[in-house]
Amino acid sequence: MAVFGMNPLNVLRETRANSMNFFYQIILLGACLTLGACGGGGNGAVNGGDTPPAPAAPSTSSSASTGGNTTSKDTGTGGADGAAADSVSATDISRFDGALGQSVLQYTVGSEMKTVYSDELLKHPQMNAFSFAGQDMVFNVTRDGKEKQRSELRQYPEWSVADRHRLDATVTLTGTALNEYTWMQLHRKASTSVKPPLRLTWAKNQVIDGVSYPDYLVAVFYHPDSGYHKVPLMPRQDGPMTVSLEAYNYQVFISLNGSLVHVENVSDWAGHNCYFKLGVYASGSEAAYGQATVRYQEAAFSHSPGL
């Protein structure tokens, strides 16, 4: 720096400015070395070095377990909880389809017998004799005098009591002004009208061997050689009860509410082509007046070997 011929005050000012510039350069160099904000660090960020990662997108499971369901609940616009509520509230009668697909409906209108086949039954028809109410399958008849009335599912095809065949159901039996009605049968196919081998009945007052059984469930067996054999089972209960009717190895087993209540030797049925029936049949030889309704909550057939 030249100082000759210059104003001493200007020389002093220039000297101070140069000193300050040098001082700031020293401070800046220290900052660059300490923070890596200058030189190679800066150029590396620009030319493809380590860049801040992009924010991660929320995972599907995280969204579903937090905001997704919360939004659906609050707005009522769907989501898993809304679907579950709809499923619970919907009437579900498809559990009867296994039985309906193996049956025809036989019902009477006056003295005329009518039949509804399985393909129509699977559409869950609604009529006076047969309908679905809530989640029940309902059979209904009205008897007005001597004419017997029925509304029953007739299972097919037929089978032998030598093999294992079973009908499991949950059923509610109602009281009525009628003297009796049949709510389940083990019947047989024949070319002419024949007596049912077994009827499970409700009786207003059944007398068996001198003993009166009011408001009672009675099994009525028919054997070709010995005739009728009536077996008192249990009093009618209010509300649903479970029933299992099984034929196996020439025997019939009847279970109610999970307890085996009767076993019958049916070896004399060896030549029968049998099938199950369930519903309501206003049986009894005497004239009667009134309505009978039977409600099934469950009904299923099983066969071994299969049919």
Side-chain angles (χ1 to χ4, degrees), residues 94 96-102 117-125:
S94 62
F96 293 112
D97 287 355
L100 296 175
Q102 303 176 57
Y117 294 94
S118 57
D119 56 344
E120 289 299 319
L121 290 176
L122 290 170
K123 298 176 183 177
H124 308 140

Side-chain angles (χ1 to χ4, degrees), residues 24-36:
Y24 286 129
Q25 288 176 5
I26 294 297
I27 292 175
L28 181 61
L29 177 60
C32 289
L33 293 175
T34 302
L35 302 176

Side-chain angles (χ1 to χ4, degrees), residues 75-234:
T75 62
T77 57
D81 293 316
D86 291 342
S87 176
V88 169
S89 63
T91 298
D92 181 13
I93 55 178
S94 62
R95 66 186 183 283
F96 293 112
D97 287 355
L100 296 175
Q102 303 176 57
S103 303
V104 297
L105 173 69
Q106 297 175 328
Y107 70 102
T108 48
V109 177
S111 59
E112 183 182 0
M113 177 74 78
K114 294 182 176 291
T115 302
V116 179
Y117 294 94
S118 57
D119 56 344
E120 289 299 319
L121 290 176
L122 290 170
K123 298 176 183 177
H124 308 140
Q126 299 286 97
M127 60 188 75
N128 289 334
F130 175 81
S131 62
F132 296 90
Q135 297 194 29
D136 294 353
M137 182 168 61
V138 183
F139 300 84
N140 183 67
V141 296
T142 300
R143 185 171 180 178
D144 186 17
K146 291 281 289 184
E147 196 77 54
K148 299 177 181 179
Q149 301 296 317
R150 73 177 70 236
S151 175
E152 299 174 294
L153 290 183
R154 192 272 202 207
Q155 171 265 323
Y156 65 86
E158 298 78 32
W159 37 264
S160 167
V161 292
D163 301 319
R164 173 168 276 134
H165 305 278
R166 180 169 173 145
L167 168 53
D168 291 291
T170 302
V171 60
T172 300
L173 306 176
T174 59
T176 174
L178 298 175
N179 295 324
E180 70 169 71
Y181 61 78
T182 298
W183 47 275
M184 189 174 288
Q185 297 190 62
L186 190 163
H187 216 310
R188 71 183 182 100
K189 184 179 180 180
S191 57
T192 60
S193 178
V194 295
K195 293 179 172 60
L198 170 61
R199 292 186 295 117
L200 298 185
T201 70
W202 167 84
K204 181 181 290 183
N205 187 32
Q206 183 71 257
V207 177
I208 303 173
D209 298 330
V211 179
S212 179
Y213 296 91
D215 197 11
Y216 225 81
L217 308 185
V218 177
V220 181
F221 290 89
Y222 181 78
H223 296 276
D225 295 332
S226 58
Y228 287 109
H229 176 211
K230 295 183 179 181
V231 180
L233 301 176
M234 62 174 280

